[in-house]
Coordinates of all heavy atoms in Angstrom, one line a residue:
A1 N -22.0 51.4 -11.0 CA -20.9 50.9 -10.2 C -19.8 50.2 -11.0 O -18.8 49.7 -10.4 CB -21.4 50.0 -9.1
A2 N -19.9 50.1 -12.3 CA -18.9 49.3 -13.1 C -17.5 49.8 -12.9 O -16.6 49.0 -12.7 CB -19.3 49.4 -14.5
M3 N -17.3 51.1 -12.9 CA -15.9 51.6 -12.8 C -15.3 51.3 -11.4 O -14.2 50.8 -11.3 CB -15.9 53.1 -13.0 CG -14.5 53.7 -13.0 SD -14.5 55.5 -13.4 CE -15.3 55.5 -15.0
E4 N -16.1 51.4 -10.4 CA -15.7 51.1 -9.0 C -15.4 49.6 -8.9 O -14.4 49.2 -8.2 CB -16.7 51.6 -8.0 CG -16.9 53.1 -7.9 CD -17.9 53.5 -6.9 OE1 -18.3 52.6 -6.1 OE2 -18.3 54.6 -6.9
L5 N -16.2 48.8 -9.5 CA -16.0 47.4 -9.4 C -14.7 46.9 -10.2 O -13.9 46.1 -9.7 CB -17.2 46.6 -10.0 CG -18.4 46.7 -9.2 CD1 -19.6 46.1 -9.9 CD2 -18.2 45.9 -7.8
R6 N -14.4 47.6 -11.3 CA -13.1 47.2 -12.0 C -11.9 47.6 -11.1 O -10.9 46.9 -11.1 CB -13.1 47.9 -13.3 CG -14.1 47.4 -14.4 CD -14.0 48.1 -15.7 NE -15.0 47.5 -16.6 CZ -14.8 46.5 -17.4 NH1 -13.7 45.8 -17.3 NH2 -15.7 46.1 -18.2
E7 N -12.1 48.8 -10.5 CA -11.0 49.2 -9.6 C -10.9 48.3 -8.4 O -9.8 48.0 -7.9 CB -11.3 50.6 -9.1 CG -10.2 51.2 -8.1 CD -8.8 51.1 -8.7 OE1 -8.6 51.3 -9.9 OE2 -7.9 50.9 -7.9
E8 N -12.0 47.8 -7.8 CA -12.0 46.9 -6.7 C -11.3 45.6 -7.1 O -10.6 44.9 -6.4 CB -13.4 46.6 -6.2 CG -13.5 45.8 -5.0 CD -12.9 46.4 -3.7 OE1 -12.8 47.7 -3.7 OE2 -12.5 45.7 -2.8
A9 N -11.6 45.1 -8.4 CA -10.9 43.9 -8.9 C -9.4 44.1 -8.9 O -8.7 43.1 -8.6 CB -11.5 43.5 -10.2
R10 N -9.0 45.2 -9.3 CA -7.5 45.5 -9.4 C -7.0 45.5 -7.9 O -5.9 45.0 -7.6 CB -7.2 46.8 -10.1 CG -7.4 46.7 -11.6 CD -6.9 47.9 -12.3 NE -7.7 49.1 -12.0 CZ -8.7 49.5 -12.8 NH1 -9.1 48.8 -13.8 NH2 -9.4 50.6 -12.5
R11 N -7.7 46.2 -7.1 CA -7.2 46.4 -5.7 C -7.1 45.1 -4.9 O -6.2 44.9 -4.1 CB -8.1 47.4 -4.9 CG -7.6 47.8 -3.6 CD -8.7 48.6 -2.8 NE -9.7 47.7 -2.4 CZ -9.6 46.9 -1.3 NH1 -8.5 46.8 -0.6 NH2 -10.6 46.1 -1.0
T12 N -8.0 44.2 -5.2 CA -8.0 42.9 -4.5 C -7.1 41.8 -5.2 O -7.1 40.7 -4.8 CB -9.4 42.4 -4.4 OG1 -10.1 42.3 -5.6 CG2 -10.2 43.2 -3.4
G13 N -6.5 42.2 -6.3 CA -5.7 41.3 -7.0 C -6.4 40.3 -7.9 O -5.9 39.3 -8.3
L14 N -7.7 40.6 -8.2 CA -8.5 39.7 -9.0 C -8.7 40.1 -10.5 O -9.5 39.5 -11.2 CB -9.9 39.6 -8.3 CG -9.9 39.0 -6.9 CD1 -11.3 39.1 -6.3 CD2 -9.4 37.6 -6.9
A15 N -8.0 41.2 -10.9 CA -8.3 41.7 -12.2 C -8.2 40.7 -13.3 O -9.0 40.7 -14.3 CB -7.4 42.9 -12.5
E16 N -7.3 39.7 -13.2 CA -7.1 38.7 -14.2 C -8.1 37.6 -14.1 O -8.2 36.7 -15.0 CB -5.7 38.1 -14.2 CG -4.6 39.2 -14.4 CD -4.7 39.9 -15.7 OE1 -5.0 39.2 -16.7 OE2 -4.6 41.1 -15.7
R17 N -8.9 37.6 -13.0 CA -9.8 36.5 -12.8 C -11.3 36.9 -13.0 O -12.2 36.0 -12.9 CB -9.7 35.9 -11.4 CG -8.3 35.2 -11.2 CD -8.2 34.7 -9.8 NE -6.9 34.1 -9.6 CZ -6.6 32.8 -9.9 NH1 -7.5 32.0 -10.4 NH2 -5.4 32.3 -9.7
V18 N -11.6 38.2 -13.1 CA -12.9 38.7 -13.2 C -13.3 39.0 -14.6 O -12.6 39.8 -15.3 CB -13.1 39.9 -12.3 CG1 -14.6 40.4 -12.3 CG2 -12.8 39.6 -10.8
R19 N -14.4 38.4 -15.1 CA -14.9 38.7 -16.5 C -16.1 39.7 -16.3 O -17.1 39.3 -15.7 CB -15.3 37.5 -17.2 CG -14.3 36.3 -17.2 CD -13.2 36.5 -18.1 NE -12.2 35.4 -18.0 CZ -12.2 34.3 -18.7 NH1 -13.2 34.1 -19.6 NH2 -11.3 33.4 -18.5
F20 N -16.0 40.9 -16.9 CA -17.2 41.8 -16.9 C -17.8 41.6 -18.3 O -17.3 42.0 -19.3 CB -16.7 43.2 -16.7 CG -16.2 43.5 -15.4 CD1 -14.9 43.4 -15.0 CD2 -17.1 44.0 -14.4 CE1 -14.5 43.7 -13.7 CE2 -16.7 44.3 -13.1 CZ -15.3 44.1 -12.8
L21 N -19.0 40.9 -18.3 CA -19.6 40.5 -19.6 C -20.5 41.5 -20.1 O -21.0 41.4 -21.3 CB -20.3 39.2 -19.4 CG -19.5 38.0 -18.9 CD1 -20.4 36.7 -18.9 CD2 -18.2 37.8 -19.8
G22 N -20.9 42.6 -19.4 CA -21.9 43.5 -19.8 C -23.3 42.9 -19.9 O -23.5 41.7 -19.4
A23 N -24.3 43.6 -20.5 CA -25.6 43.1 -20.6 C -25.6 41.9 -21.6 O -25.0 41.9 -22.6 CB -26.5 44.2 -21.1
R24 N -26.3 40.8 -21.2 CA -26.4 39.6 -22.0 C -27.8 39.2 -22.3 O -28.7 39.3 -21.5 CB -25.7 38.5 -21.3 CG -24.3 38.7 -20.9 CD -23.3 38.7 -22.0 NE -23.2 37.3 -22.6 CZ -22.1 36.8 -23.1 NH1 -21.0 37.5 -23.0 NH2 -22.1 35.6 -23.7
S25 N -28.0 38.7 -23.5 CA -29.3 38.1 -23.9 C -29.4 36.6 -23.6 O -30.4 36.0 -23.6 CB -29.7 38.5 -25.3 OG -28.7 37.9 -26.2
D26 N -28.2 36.0 -23.5 CA -28.0 34.6 -23.3 C -27.8 34.2 -21.8 O -26.9 33.5 -21.5 CB -26.9 34.0 -24.2 CG -25.6 34.7 -23.8 OD1 -25.5 35.7 -23.2 OD2 -24.5 34.1 -24.2
V27 N -28.7 34.8 -20.9 CA -28.5 34.5 -19.5 C -28.5 33.1 -19.1 O -27.6 32.6 -18.3 CB -29.5 35.3 -18.7 CG1 -29.4 35.0 -17.2 CG2 -29.3 36.8 -18.9
P28 N -29.4 32.2 -19.7 CA -29.3 30.8 -19.3 C -27.9 30.2 -19.6 O -27.4 29.4 -18.8 CB -30.4 30.1 -20.1 CG -31.4 31.3 -20.4 CD -30.5 32.5 -20.6
E29 N -27.3 30.5 -20.7 CA -26.0 30.0 -21.1 C -24.9 30.5 -20.1 O -24.1 29.7 -19.7 CB -25.7 30.3 -22.5 CG -26.5 29.6 -23.6 CD -27.8 30.4 -24.0 OE1 -28.3 31.2 -23.1 OE2 -28.2 30.3 -25.1
V30 N -25.0 31.7 -19.7 CA -24.1 32.3 -18.8 C -24.2 31.5 -17.4 O -23.2 31.1 -16.8 CB -24.3 33.8 -18.6 CG1 -23.4 34.3 -17.4 CG2 -23.9 34.5 -19.9
L31 N -25.4 31.4 -17.0 CA -25.6 30.7 -15.7 C -25.2 29.2 -15.8 O -24.7 28.7 -14.8 CB -27.1 30.7 -15.3 CG -27.6 32.1 -14.9 CD1 -29.2 32.1 -14.8 CD2 -27.0 32.6 -13.6
R32 N -25.4 28.6 -16.9 CA -25.0 27.2 -17.1 C -23.4 27.0 -16.9 O -23.0 25.9 -16.6 CB -25.4 26.7 -18.4 CG -25.3 25.1 -18.6 CD -26.3 24.4 -17.7 NE -26.2 23.0 -17.9 CZ -25.7 22.1 -17.0 NH1 -25.1 22.5 -15.9 NH2 -25.7 20.8 -17.3
A33 N -22.7 28.1 -17.2 CA -21.3 28.0 -17.1 C -20.8 28.2 -15.6 O -19.6 27.9 -15.4 CB -20.6 29.2 -17.9
L34 N -21.6 28.5 -14.7 CA -21.2 28.8 -13.3 C -21.2 27.5 -12.5 O -22.0 26.6 -12.8 CB -22.1 29.8 -12.7 CG -22.3 31.2 -13.4 CD1 -23.2 32.1 -12.5 CD2 -21.0 31.8 -13.7
D35 N -20.5 27.5 -11.4 CA -20.5 26.5 -10.3 C -21.3 27.0 -9.1 O -22.0 26.2 -8.5 CB -19.1 26.1 -9.9 CG -18.3 25.4 -11.0 OD1 -18.6 24.2 -11.2 OD2 -17.5 26.0 -11.6
V36 N -21.2 28.3 -8.8 CA -21.9 28.9 -7.7 C -22.5 30.2 -8.1 O -21.8 31.0 -8.8 CB -21.0 29.0 -6.5 CG1 -21.7 29.6 -5.3 CG2 -20.3 27.7 -6.1
Y37 N -23.7 30.5 -7.6 CA -24.3 31.8 -7.8 C -24.3 32.6 -6.5 O -24.6 32.1 -5.5 CB -25.7 31.7 -8.4 CG -26.2 33.1 -8.8 CD1 -26.0 33.5 -10.1 CD2 -27.0 33.9 -7.9 CE1 -26.5 34.8 -10.5 CE2 -27.4 35.1 -8.4 CZ -27.2 35.5 -9.7 OH -27.6 36.8 -10.1
V38 N -23.9 33.9 -6.6 CA -23.8 34.7 -5.4 C -24.6 36.0 -5.6 O -24.5 36.7 -6.6 CB -22.3 35.1 -5.1 CG1 -22.3 35.9 -3.8 CG2 -21.5 33.8 -4.9
L39 N -25.4 36.3 -4.6 CA -26.2 37.6 -4.6 C -25.8 38.3 -3.3 O -25.9 37.8 -2.2 CB -27.7 37.3 -4.6 CG -28.6 38.6 -4.6 CD1 -29.7 38.4 -5.6 CD2 -29.2 38.8 -3.2
T40 N -25.3 39.6 -3.5 CA -24.8 40.3 -2.3 C -25.5 41.6 -2.1 O -25.0 42.5 -1.5 CB -23.3 40.6 -2.5 OG1 -23.1 41.2 -3.8 CG2 -22.5 39.3 -2.5
S41 N -26.8 41.7 -2.5 CA -27.5 43.0 -2.5 C -27.7 43.5 -1.0 O -27.8 42.7 -0.1 CB -28.9 42.8 -3.1 OG -28.7 42.5 -4.5
L42 N -27.8 44.8 -0.9 CA -28.1 45.5 0.3 C -29.6 45.4 0.6 O -30.0 45.5 1.7 CB -27.6 46.9 0.3 CG -26.1 47.1 0.2 CD1 -25.7 48.6 0.0 CD2 -25.4 46.5 1.4
Y43 N -30.4 45.5 -0.5 CA -31.8 45.3 -0.3 C -32.4 44.7 -1.6 O -31.8 44.8 -2.7 CB -32.5 46.6 0.0 CG -32.3 47.7 -1.0 CD1 -33.2 47.9 -2.1 CD2 -31.3 48.7 -0.9 CE1 -33.0 48.9 -3.0 CE2 -31.1 49.7 -1.8 CZ -32.0 49.8 -2.9 OH -31.8 50.8 -3.8
E44 N -33.5 44.0 -1.5 CA -34.1 43.3 -2.7 C -35.6 43.2 -2.4 O -36.1 43.3 -1.3 CB -33.5 42.0 -2.9 CG -32.1 41.9 -3.6 CD -32.2 42.3 -5.0 OE1 -33.3 42.5 -5.6 OE2 -31.1 42.3 -5.7
G45 N -36.3 42.8 -3.5 CA -37.7 42.3 -3.3 C -37.5 40.8 -3.5 O -37.0 40.1 -2.6

C-alpha cells in the first residue's frame, strides 16, 4: 500500500508533513518521538 499512501498524502495536502520511514530496527526510538499512536486496521489479532 506504500504507493497509494504516498498518493493519499499528496491528495490530502499532507505530503510535506508525512515521513515514510520504511522498515526500522530502532522501533523504541521511533515510538519515543511520538505524541500519539494510531492504529486504523480493518482487522487484527
Side-chain angles (χ1 to χ4, degrees):
M3 185 178 300
E4 293 179 12
L5 289 170
R6 290 181 182 277
E7 178 56 35
E8 185 67 22
R10 287 190 290 270
R11 192 189 68 79
T12 53
L14 298 174
E16 300 303 316
R17 295 181 181 273
V18 180
R19 312 281 177 92
F20 290 89
L21 301 185
R24 303 285 295 217
S25 60
D26 58 343
V27 173
E29 290 92 329
V30 171
L31 291 172
R32 190 69 175 106
L34 305 183
D35 291 286
V36 180
Y37 189 86
V38 182
L39 181 137
T40 52
S41 298
L42 298 171
Y43 59 87
E44 284 286 359

